Amino acid sequence: MTGFARRIRRRPPKYSAAKLAWKGFRGQSWPRVWREVDLKRSYDAVVIGGGVHGLATAYYLARNHGIKNVAVLDKAYLGSGGSGRNTAIIRSNYLTPAGVKFYDRSVQLYSTLAVDLNINVMFSQRGHLTLAHSDSSLRTMHWRAEVNKLQGVNSSVIGPDEVKSEAPSLDTSDHPRYPILGALYHPPGGVVRHDAVVWGYARAADHMGVEMHQKTEVTDIICTGGEGPDGKGAGGRVTGVRTNRGDISTPVVVNCTAGWASLISSMAGVRLPITTHPLQAAVTEPVKMFLPTVVVSGSLHVYVSQTDRGELVFGAAVDPVANYSVRGSLEFTEGLAGHVLELMPGISRMRLLRQWSGLCDMTPDYSPVMGFTPVDGFLVDVGWGTYGFKAAPVSGEQMAEAVVTGRTPKLIEAFALSRFDNGELVGEKGAAAVGH
Amino acid sequence: MADVSKFESPVVASYPPSSGGDPTLADVSATTKWLVRADADGPTADQLGAAFGRSQVAAGGALVLGSRPGEWIVLGASVQVSMAVAGLEQPEGLDSSDFVSALDWTHGRALFRVTGHGAARMLEKVCSLDWSDPMTPDGAVVSASVAKVTCDIARNDADGAPSYLIFCDRSFGQYLFDALIDAGDEFGISVVTSTA
Amino acid sequence: MTMSRLGIQSTEVIDRATKLRFKWNGKRFSGFEGDTIASALAASGEHIFSRSMKYHRPRGILTADYWDPNLLVQVGDDPNVRAGHRLLESSMDVRSQNAWPSLHRDLKAANSLLGRFLTAGFYYKTFMRPQWLWPTYERVLATFAPGGKIDIDTPHRYHDKRYSHPDVVVAGAGPAGIEAALAASATGAQVLLVEHQHAVGGHLRFSSGDADQAALTQLQATLAASDVEVLTDSTVTGRYEDNWLGIVQRNHPIAVERLIKARAKVLVVAPGLIERPYVFEGNDRPGVITSGAARRLINLWGVKPGERAVVFSANADGDAAAADLDRAGVEIAEIVDARERRRISSTTGSSRAVDAVVVDAGLASNQRIDADLLVVAAGWTAPTSLLNMAGDRPVYDATAARFFPSDPPANVLATGGIVGDGSLDQLRSHGAATGRLAAARAAAVRHRLQAHTARALAVDGTEPAWAPDERSPLGRDAHPELYRSDTHGMVDYSEDVSSKDLVAASKEGYDSVELAKRFTTATMGPSQGKLETVNTVAAIAEARGETIAEVGTTVWRPPYAPLTLGALAGRVFEPVRVSSIHPWHEAKGVTTIQAGQWIRPDHYGDPAAEVRNVRENVGLIDVTPLGKLDLRGPDVSKLLNLLYVNKWSKLAVGKVRYGMMCAEDGVVLDDGVTGRLGEDHYMMSTTSSGAGGVWEWVENWLQTERPDWRVHVTPVTTAYASINIAGPKSRELVSRVTSGVDLDPDAFRYMEVRGATVAGVSGCFMWRIGFTGELSFELHVPAGHGLAVWEALMDAGSDLGVGPFGLEGQRIMRLEKGHFIVGQDTDGLTLAPSTGMGGLIKLDKDDFAGKPELVWAADRRLPQIVAIQPDNPNIVPDEACQIVRGDSNEILGRITSARFSPTLGRSICLGQVEPELATGGTKLTVLLTSGERISATVIDHHAHFDPAGERLRG
Amino acid sequence: MLLVPCPNCGPRNSADLRYGGESHARPDPATASPSEWRSYLYLRDNPAGWLRETWYCASGCRRWFALERNTATNEFRGPPLPGDKRGGAA
């Protein structure tokens, strides 16, 4: 029982320049960013998935509602799924009022996250350009801009000259195939350091008493009273989870997984409107800064930004074939390179350094599935497609509220699982395709 | 009145005249082509002879391509094609066990012929299929994407040299012709005039 | 350390007769043909090539090959060029990267003084407050981004691609790889041998041993006489599903680079081994090089790497390096033999050069040896990337001190140093056995492919059995486990991550390899972990008190070596399509618009005038892209009943009907007219953009839901040139060129179809329909005569005022008529009843696509498409302007189409609104993009013009 | 690039085909409840393992067919089943 000694907490040192200097000067090391403790037999709530959604949910349960007897379980290590594989673009220029309000709250939370979590998440609000190459995509950009403005979000359609001044490397000439006719410009959009967000939530939740359990795989969800086998399914309620490290009793289980959402939910007898597809990304070798904004082209299925380290980070649309394999493909990099050179012919000599992929749970209306399910005590925060990272803070905040109040918060009403039973889908499909 | 004697090819750009070389590319879009549909294993299939993926010369000299299961492209001189498709589509055919239809496809598809010992190497630049002799022998018929346009392709060797007939939707004709020239450039492709 | 050119070496690859002049940081230098950029500079006495990423420490040669992290330079507009690999060319403009203002006086080197504060991940712990200053901090941090510069005006030069279907691809042309290729080829297999370096031979190339040189000569000769296709300066960059390989060829004669996409039946992985650096204090000081670097410099390029050397040797290659150094006239100060448990502890000297090496600190033999060169042979890393990509998880062997493949798939074989050790003969014979095995397995794959491929040559006999692996395995030599000495040093040279950083990260809780990598960025730099990964794993294992095997390794992701975006893009294929009338449009100076792959006439200068001409005279529009499906068979009407929301059973021959299609969720999918040309012969038209999708949709229903129905579907979109002749004088014009059709209004009525001969062209058909709302004839002409018929119509109608009109004119006229466009006025959630054409939907049909949703939709409040007119007739709202409630921000709908109508002299719109706003006369507030709110009125009909439809029936 | 075993053409690059996704039977539209119909429209088994799915050989024979693929390993197992409508996890 090595955990006992470690479980005695002291107030951990705050991160600051002064502390950094002092520790550097004294040659001292920093304490563990989160504790390693033994798994208890019972928690007030169990969160499945140690990605940014699960960690944020646990953090806001503790911080906003004082619910601290919470375990976050991850079958690998924290941030090993989509949280560490995404391209870390943050924006709120969605198409539907429900989407815009929701993501706008997320951007607000992100903008103070470094101070709230006491870790530099490097949120760089450098501006976000969504290029339009046809009249119809320009019309969709206008649509988004108008809806955005009505929700108080800074978003507008700009012409090719302004596009050129925001991102000089873009070819805004009278291009033969995909001319840049304009762009949706969203100044508050930008990028964040994804790992820092994961670690920041974990560290801050840990400080409040939340437990993070890595290499802890959920193998079953224990239910009672449901219409399906083993008391699972509609009408039942959750009593605990089974893991590779033993059973845990808990009245509340929140499924915050991506890639595995269907499998975890099926453990509670809940079927989801989800198909899992890999989403690939790639990074180049670093070069000196030349791309000051985030650039997205829906028609060309590509989005690109340059990190503070000088690398270009690329993403595209999800792979067309449903898959749980994350091996990556050559055709992805070929298509990516072809498309990005269509936009920026000047970077043909940049070298692709690494490609990877993550799993995305796609829903029919390109919107998440959040809140309650027909199984009492089993909540979902899933179906995040390709837009999960940017929604993490608000999702955690709202899911925590749902857990505590037992009611669906207004901000996520549109995303309820029940919409697929009553046919009231969310209209983000209209702006679908690639929307990073 | 329009000059109906002249078939307008989709390839309208002009190319320097050439007497040949290897490989050669010819625009033979004016060739008469029919599309025949019938049960894949019915009497019409027997009559046409060409199995899916293979081709065969019909009695009158037309070339019959087994382009898809239950689908054949018949091409050649107008009179050859007429002979091959005559009588296939009997009115009573619809009531018989074999349901047959045939339509003139001449205007719907552009048709090019690539010939030469370098032709396979050239096709490797625009199509992902295996052009080696065992996989695509003389007489093979296949559909595939060529420079991102879906095409029917038939290997139909001429004078001992590998030769390929490439069909695409007429409206892509000029694009595909240029893509083939680009692919053949490193092998010294020349544009020639010929009949199918 | 002073490097200089030696006398002629028997193994050298330079041509001393061909001198090449180039520039390095603006100064003139020269080298020889066959030199790399780095060898030429080294021979000229240069020893600082770059500055490190974080501390801006001067860096010299480390490995002198492609993987050298210290040799990234800018060549012209090409950033991050591997100077250890790229061959010198005449007039190259080579510059150092990551140094300011110059390589020798780099002000950012001040960072190294702050080293103890700039620990890994330091940036996460600071700059949080004040928040408003972060953007400024960020801009400063960004100036530290490493790497070269890109010139945004660099053209995308000609890159090429091809596909290949070899039986066997061998990745790596060292002795084992060459033997594998030769053995496979000898069986008749088609073999592609790919070598990353500029020449085949692997480590034999820089070995001065007579036996090695003789073997190299013999292998080269045999290879040249074989049928093996050899690609040098080429890399297998990735192995993907089913042995799909990416191979980049950097020395192609006609292209900058060529990407080969090969479907290998069997892949043989034979990359050899990569020499691993050793971690100790001062291990990144210029003058510390690997034994491979020393041997390459001396034997390939005749470069003397220093004057007085300490050699740290744990293996035969280290010993061979000592011999080469001695032969090259370098004084050997000491050979520190790791096999005798001796250690390097540190180097001393300035930041720019080694002046001494401290060995065996803490031991009795402890000494400080003056030297300007430290040559290190500490062991090997197996570059298992391609095996990782095939799903293999290599396993660590502590005795041999490296990772080995464990269980790659059966169509991936490995040979050479990556699988074991042995004499040259043993390696060669393992290679040959691997080649034979690869060929045997490839034959089985080839047999299966041929047997299952319809077009392929028939194969005889049953598929050959999968050849078992009966190769006698190579041995594994014992090797000291050398990762970190008793001091801390650099682990990742390109990222400036030290073993100290990794220990600190581990203590802080980032103690799995993946977390530590992410936190410290170790292995994330341009050398991709080729040199650093195993040392990183070892440092973490040490910090955690675990073995390397327990910590495991990280997954090497593609590509094997970085490759340019240009190579990946290659020639970009973007098909475009045009109608057969296109040459006429171009001759008239048309302004085109891209609609999907189609290039279409948008207008010919003045769309409003084109509209007026149609309304007053007659106009022609080329509507060839309109989707057309030829449907034949006795069950076509059943099919139409199933796919459209309306009824089709009573459509008579010669009649045309409009139809709307829904998906199974009731959302509008497509629309168009279908005409019955004969008893069992119909022509369906679709939207231009929907043509391909509808065809697949139809095939899906026929093949999977109704396979018993007899319908043949043929897409004939471009088999016909389609011309819409619209306007009050259209009948007159059509009558002048048409024969075989009675055009009398009572004989050929609105929504009817007739076969015809037009301008002498038989096989045409025409239907009386029209998107413009005018009397119109849509004529479909066999495409090979489309241009002639169009010209004939133009000629025949000159006195009638005939003129062309484009898509823009048609859009205006359809809006005047209130016709919606699927995908513009509808969206991804628009159900059929929202279109205002709910009357079409026949819920009494047994079944049709989407029927249940439309049944239930009757009870739902759905948005409605309505015609809207701004009260100020001169304001044309932008499409997508929102309809709001009064002065609030509540959204009640949006404008989906808007134009100024030349016919009505006012602004007209279509929009989607909440159902309570859909009745005629309702006042709306439209929020313009300018922010201004204007009032507008819903009108009674969708049609702004001629709501009774009198003109089109005329 | 996955090789998909088309029952007519033989193994073809996945780029030559259109992926139709998890196969599922269409409920009888006359009797289906909203819940059943929407389950057909939206809900999926989405297993990490063997999945029965449909493909359309768009660049080749233009035939829809169903087969089983392991979504974790991308192995196919046959034989291909033309028009198979049994859905989901296999």
Side-chain angles (χ1 to χ4, degrees), chain B residues 110-121:
Chain B
L111 179 58
F112 309 133
R113 185 184 272 281
V114 180
T115 305
H117 295 282
R121 281 302 280 246

Side-chain angles (χ1 to χ4, degrees), chain C residues 10 48 126 186 206 262 276 450 488 490 585 617 763 808 911:
Chain C
S10 65
I48 308 294
T126 184
F206 52 87
R276 191 170 63 223
Q450 232 174 296
H488 281 289
M490 200 52 70
H585 305 315
N617 297 310
E808 176 60 15

Side-chain angles (χ1 to χ4, degrees), chain A residues 62-100:
Chain A
R63 196 194 80 167
N64 291 359
H65 307 286
I67 312 285
K68 298 175 177 177
N69 183 25
V70 176
V72 180
L73 312 182
D74 198 287
K75 67 173 185 161
Y77 59 92
L78 298 189
S80 52
S83 300
R85 296 163 187 267
N86 70 90
T87 48
I89 295 170
I90 307 297
R91 65 180 178 92
S92 62
N93 57 353
Y94 279 71
L95 177 64
T96 62
V100 177

